[in-house]
Amino acid sequence: MRETIGRAASATGHLAATVTLVLGAQFLGGVLLIVVLGSFAGFGLWLLPETVLLVRRVAGAKRIQTAAWTGRRIPEAYRPVPAGLRERLRGVLGDPGTRRDLRWMAAHSGYGTLLFVLAVPLWPLGLAVDGVWSGVLRRRAVVLPLIGRLADLDARWSQALLRPSPEALLTARVEELAETRADAIAAHGAELRRIERDLHDGVQARLVSLSLRIGLVKRAYEHDPTAVRAFLDEAHVHVEEALAELRHVVRGIHPPILTDRGLVGAVRALAASSGLDVTVRADGLAETDGRAPAAVEAAAYFAVAEALTNAARHSGSERATVRLERLRTGLRAVVEDEGRGGADEAGGTGLLGIRRRAAALDGTVAVTSPPGGPTTVVVELPCVW
């Protein structure tokens, strides 16, 4: 009985919040009507786009409320609002999302209030009937669960009215892909410039120095054998340094250890050299289970490397945990430290780089870092196993 009352109380709170949104929507509807009439009179035209944007906020609040009740997010799909009065008017009034929000606002004013009115008398009736039927006779409650069904009905109707059309979702998806494609191109260009800079400033400088040493060896070969030996020793050192620089550049493109050991082995080696006490766990990623595509493994490896680097530099923690999980639709990498938290994506390029690398593969990145910690970075990359 206690659980039934708790569920009914939660549903009543949902319906009460619905009535609050209904009152706000009705007030906003009146303001919108005044603004529309004023626009015809010539003095309210500039207020029309702003009022429509307020309608979007109310609809957004209903989406959040419905998602909190059902656990299923209702996506938004609005066209970008341009600058300039004429363009803003054309943008917000021609957006199918505006018509959808207005239709929901009109319908919600009716069914939102009606469902709350129906729920209120169910409380005294339910406490009397279910108090005996369920509390005394230990049978399943009959009346109070109806309040939860009314809240479910409100959520279903709101989902149906606020859900974007397939065309709007497709348009939003195309815009998202265009944005991530631009980010991927920018990241690719930055990576090419980094490789070029590393080759020019590192390997090329070593090879030029080596060429000079070989030229000196050729000149001193006939008349100064002792100097030849010293020059050869220096040339050998420069060859080793050039090879080290070249290996560093190659690791930045695609770490050879990924090819040799796979993602789990590469991450374990990365954790061993991170300077932190790192625990690595792998779920469903045994060698016999198959491997993700090379691009997915590389993106996960670099994301883990960047997250561990950030933890070592900024978290103040001595321990971290890396969890690699094989999902039905892809790969998930989770890095968590026990540091001070407060990670800010705007404070550097590390987290932004992780996000861009994941977006290029249609992946997602979630960063949770409250003050006081812990900081958790979750990277999900879709792939076919």
Side-chain angles (χ1 to χ4, degrees):
M1 184 65 183
R2 183 180 300 175
E3 182 179 350
T4 300
I5 293 176
R7 169 74 175 176
S10 179
T12 305
H14 173 86
L15 293 173
T18 295
V19 172
T20 302
L21 282 176
V22 166
L23 295 176
Q26 289 176 344
F27 173 77
L28 194 57
V31 172
L32 182 62
L33 180 61
I34 294 173
V35 170
V36 170
L37 295 176
S39 299
F40 285 113
F43 61 85
L45 199 62
W46 62 277
L47 285 174
L48 189 56
E50 306 304 325
T51 309
V52 172
L53 293 180
L54 287 176
V55 172
R56 289 187 181 182
R57 292 191 178 184
V58 174
K62 185 60 181 180
R63 288 187 178 93
I64 294 173
Q65 182 202 18
T66 303
W69 178 256
T70 62
R72 294 189 298 273
R73 174 179 171 271
I74 304 176
E76 292 185 357
Y78 296 110
R79 296 174 183 173
V81 180
L85 178 59
R86 181 176 298 179
E87 289 75 13
R88 288 172 69 85
L89 281 170
R90 187 181 296 114
V92 297
L93 296 181
D95 192 339
T98 300
R99 295 190 292 272
R100 183 174 57 251
D101 290 346
L102 293 175
R103 181 183 60 191
W104 162 81
M105 193 167 67
H108 188 248
S109 297
Y111 72 78
T113 305
L114 175 63
L115 293 176
F116 180 76
V117 170
L118 291 175
V120 170
L122 290 178
W123 269 104
L125 180 62
L127 291 175
V129 174
D130 292 337
V132 177
W133 186 254
S134 180
V136 178
L137 301 179
R138 302 298 180 183
R139 303 292 183 88
R140 181 177 296 181
V142 177
V143 179
L144 288 178
L146 296 177
I147 302 176
R149 294 181 184 178
L150 292 176
D152 292 337
L153 191 60
D154 170 71
R156 284 199 298 270
W157 286 348
S158 298
Q159 283 179 327
L161 290 169
L162 291 173
R163 184 183 300 117
S165 64
E167 293 79 7
L169 290 175
L170 179 60
T171 301
R173 181 61 174 159
V174 169
E175 293 175 353
E176 179 185 355
L177 290 176
E179 182 178 351
T180 56
R181 180 176 179 271
D183 287 342
I185 291 174
H188 178 67
E191 189 70 8
L192 287 179
R193 290 191 295 272
R194 183 192 65 80
I195 294 171
E196 180 183 8
R197 184 173 62 251
D198 289 346
L199 290 174
H200 181 273
D201 297 342
V203 178
Q204 179 176 279
R206 302 291 183 189
L207 293 178
V208 169
S209 178
L210 176 62
S211 176
L212 293 175
R213 293 294 185 278
I214 293 175
L216 292 174
V217 168
K218 291 171 64 177
R219 291 184 182 181
Y221 181 76
E222 297 292 340
H223 60 276
D224 194 353
T226 305
V228 168
R229 179 58 182 260
F231 286 141
L232 287 176
D233 290 339
E234 292 179 5
H236 183 264
V237 171
H238 281 280
V239 168
E240 294 294 335
E241 292 175 347
L243 288 174
E245 292 277 356
L246 192 57
R247 291 191 191 99
H248 176 73
V249 174
V250 170
R251 282 196 298 270
I253 300 172
H254 185 84
I257 194 171
L258 272 177
T259 304
D260 298 337
R261 301 190 190 179
L263 178 61
V264 177
V267 169
R268 292 189 190 279
L270 187 66
S273 61
S274 68
L276 298 173
D277 180 11
V278 182
T279 302
V280 179
R281 297 201 300 267
D283 298 333
L285 287 173
E287 294 182 2
T288 57
D289 295 333
R291 292 179 56 175
V296 173
E297 285 193 341
Y301 175 85
F302 284 120
V304 171
E306 184 62 40
L308 289 178
T309 300
N310 288 344
R313 288 180 178 175
H314 308 297
S315 72
S317 173
E318 297 180 354
R319 290 182 297 275
T321 302
V322 178
R323 189 169 67 253
L324 302 173
E325 302 175 12
R326 173 172 175 165
L327 308 177
R328 185 176 59 84
T329 57
L331 174 69
R332 177 188 293 143
V334 182
V335 181
E336 183 176 356
D337 65 63
E338 301 176 4
R340 63 177 64 95
D344 183 11
E345 293 190 47
T349 60
L351 292 175
L352 180 60
I354 294 176
R355 196 174 294 280
R356 284 181 171 176
R357 192 181 290 272
L361 298 175
D362 205 20
T364 59
V365 178
V367 180
T368 304
S369 184
T375 296
T376 305
V377 180
V378 182
V379 181
E380 292 193 7
L381 302 169
C383 68
V384 177
W385 296 92

